[in-house]
Amino acid sequence: MLPILNALVPVFLVIALGFVIRRKDFPGEALWAPLDQINYYVLFPALLCYTLAVADIALGEVGAMAAALAAGMMAMVVVLMLSKRFLPMTGPEFSSVFQGAARWNSFVALAAIASLWGKPGLTLAAVAVAVMVPIANIVSVTVLTRYAGATPAGPATVAKLLSRNPLILACAAGIALNLTGIGLPGPLATTFKIVGDASLTLGLLAVGAGLQIVNVLEKKWIVLYTSFLKLIAMPFIMMGFCLVFGVEGLPRLVVLICAAVPGATSSYMLARQLGGDMHLMASLITGGTILAVVTMPLMLWLLG
């Protein structure tokens, strides 16, 4: 347990630092929106593209891991859709619960995996991003437009949103460069690495800056329910599919971390754009991130 804590505690301390900096209003409120944009559109895509382009990937190992991740996410979608019948929530509220339980915080996942297992783990984590981000976006947009928006999104709308997602584009580019044998020649590899190395630290600071603790207790039963699904049920579901697909060793541990992290902070922006309950979404992100300080080490200790 101690090695797990030694690896994960620094991740959450950086998140806490982001929270403190934001609350101290240093260097000013105007910092955070541009910081989020440059990280989401430039730094993090550079990290993903570089990691996948230069990786030495065993396709059989990655294929089983990808199958477990995809199956686990879709199983959670089924659980959420079935549970809607029994939950006293409006459509916008349900759309936020859906995002809170189905989406994952890739910044926290990659930072934790890099801290625990270094470059081999980070390579597998980049593969997880390539698998999980498209699925998370498709199901989230579909549910939001169905239950919170005026008009359900059609295939063309979903495809348009996916085609503009910088993380999906970066993963596709990295995989293409790897499979074609082109890779990232000399100076380009170094450039992408320098740019990408900044992304995880800035991403964690931004996660902390976005926490809104005052809102968590407004609908605490929804926060606890969603956090249970995301932080406890999802790891068990994913580990079940790892058994089904024969995922073992480091790939299995990477799947576990990806399953155990809190919900994505980008869920708030999507809720705002497509008519979801933004205030509830902020509460779910904050509550899940705080609880993950305890549940992530626990899940890794129990299931790792």
Side-chain angles (χ1 to χ4, degrees):
M1 187 65 166
L2 186 58
I4 295 172
L5 292 174
N6 286 338
L8 295 183
V9 166
V11 173
F12 286 102
L13 287 178
V14 176
I15 293 174
L17 178 61
F19 176 79
V20 172
I21 291 173
R22 179 75 176 269
R23 296 311 171 274
K24 294 295 183 180
D25 198 28
F26 173 80
E29 185 66 24
L31 167 71
W32 299 103
L35 183 67
D36 280 340
Q37 288 184 323
I38 194 170
N39 203 22
Y40 185 69
Y41 287 100
V42 180
L43 305 184
F44 198 38
L47 174 66
L48 295 173
C49 184
Y50 167 79
T51 303
L52 290 170
V54 304
D56 182 13
I57 300 173
L59 292 180
E61 182 180 76
V62 169
M65 187 186 82
L69 288 166
M73 290 191 74
M74 294 313 299
M76 179 55 71
V77 170
V78 172
V79 169
L80 286 162
M81 297 309 297
L82 290 175
S83 68
K84 185 186 182 300
R85 298 183 177 185
F86 309 102
L87 298 176
M89 290 187 294
T90 65
E93 286 176 333
F94 172 71
S95 70
S96 293
V97 169
F98 185 94
Q99 284 204 90
R103 300 188 71 175
W104 65 305
N105 195 313
S106 52
F107 290 119
V108 176
L110 267 68
I113 290 166
S115 179
L116 283 161
W117 302 297
K119 187 176 179 180
L122 194 58
T123 298
L124 293 173
V127 173
V129 172
V131 174
M132 297 175 73
V133 168
I135 296 173
N137 277 270
I138 291 170
V139 297
S140 295
V141 169
T142 302
V143 167
L144 271 160
T145 56
R146 167 66 177 82
Y147 293 101
T151 306
T157 301
V158 174
K160 186 177 180 180
L161 289 169
L162 292 178
S163 69
R164 294 177 178 178
N165 187 294
L167 306 188
I168 296 174
L169 295 176
C171 289
I175 292 170
L177 290 169
N178 190 311
L179 293 179
T180 58
I182 298 173
L184 285 171
L188 278 180
T190 304
T191 302
F192 270 68
K193 185 178 186 303
I194 291 172
V195 174
D197 281 347
S199 67
L200 295 182
T201 300
L202 292 179
L204 293 177
L205 289 173
V207 169
L211 299 182
Q212 301 180 31
I213 294 177
V214 69
N215 296 331
V216 173
L217 298 178
E218 290 181 359
K219 294 185 177 180
K220 56 187 177 183
W221 78 266
I222 299 181
V223 173
L224 290 174
Y225 171 72
T226 307
S227 297
F228 169 79
L229 290 179
K230 180 68 196 74
L231 302 175
I232 297 176
M234 181 70 95
F236 277 95
I237 291 172
M238 288 285 196
M239 289 302 94
F241 281 108
C242 281
L243 289 175
V244 171
F245 291 103
V247 183
E248 299 178 345
L250 182 56
R252 179 176 174 274
L253 294 172
V254 169
V255 171
L256 177 55
I257 289 290
C258 291
V261 293
T265 53
S266 57
S267 299
Y268 180 85
M269 293 181 287
L270 197 60
R272 182 175 60 192
Q273 292 171 358
L274 300 180
D277 189 326
M278 296 182 297
H279 297 295
L280 177 58
M281 194 71 255
S283 299
L284 296 176
I285 294 167
T286 301
T289 303
I290 293 170
L291 291 172
V293 176
V294 176
T295 60
M296 276 184 67
L298 181 62
M299 290 296 101
L300 193 56
W301 180 59
L302 287 175
L303 302 176

